[in-house]
Structure formats: C-alpha cells, structure tokens
Amino acid sequence: MEESTTRQRIVDALRGEPATPRALSKRVGVPTSVVYDHARHVAKSLANDDEQLLVAPPECKECGFDGFDDPLSAPSRCPECNCERLTEPQLVVESR
C-alpha cells in the first residue's frame, strides 16, 4: 500500500471541513510553518483541477481588519491598530 504525501493528507483533511494551519499541523503531524508552505503549493496544484483551496484571511480581534496582502501567512500584528491578537486563516478545499 502506498503512503500518501503530506500535501495529499492536507488536501484530504480539508475536503469539506475548514481548519486552521495549527489544527492541520496537529492532524497531519507536521509543523505549522510546513502547513503554510504546503498550502501555497496545494492552491497552485488545484488551480487546474475541479477543486480549489479557499482561504478566509486572518482577522484582527481588536479592530476586525482582514485585508492582509497574503491570506496564507501568519502576520504578527495588525497593520491598522498594531494589535497582536489575530485569528489564523481558515482553509478548506471545495469543488468548483
């Protein structure tokens, strides 16, 4: 039996069930930073497929800002109010 790749395990975990990178790292067994790296590649590889990676961007818990340049990142603070209390992005794989 063939073992699935980390990217395939991430895609399988995200099909129809949103998750944060931190939750995915625990589920798949890789560091959170690795999940972010693989998520970028998953988004590109699914671009020509019948599925897509959807990302709800991080949000500032203080002012509600969610207009981050790269939603697949882990910003350290809000550019609007400099608050460090931010939610993680939510990722999900859905059919087009």
Side-chain angles (χ1 to χ4, degrees):
M1 183 172 154
E2 188 177 308
E3 187 175 323
S4 62
T5 65
T6 301
R7 288 185 191 157
Q8 187 59 50
R9 292 193 321 263
I10 288 172
V11 169
D12 291 343
L14 289 174
R15 281 195 174 106
E17 186 178 336
T20 65
R22 184 172 294 143
L24 272 176
S25 75
K26 291 178 183 173
R27 196 176 311 160
V28 177
V30 296
T32 304
S33 61
V34 172
V35 170
Y36 279 105
D37 291 339
H38 282 298
R40 285 184 182 86
H41 291 282
V42 165
K44 289 178 186 175
S45 68
L46 292 178
N48 296 325
D49 206 348
D50 60 346
E51 294 180 308
Q52 61 185 340
L53 177 69
L54 301 178
V55 181
E59 187 175 301
C60 177
K61 292 181 180 180
E62 187 70 30
C63 72
F65 178 80
D66 67 356
F68 293 93
D69 292 338
D70 180 7
L72 268 178
S73 69
S76 59
R77 64 182 60 224
C78 174
E80 293 291 311
C81 69
N82 290 324
C83 177
E84 295 179 358
R85 295 178 45 232
L86 305 172
T87 64
E88 286 187 83
Q90 288 278 328
L91 313 173
V92 67
V93 171
E94 291 185 352
S95 297
R96 291 186 192 264

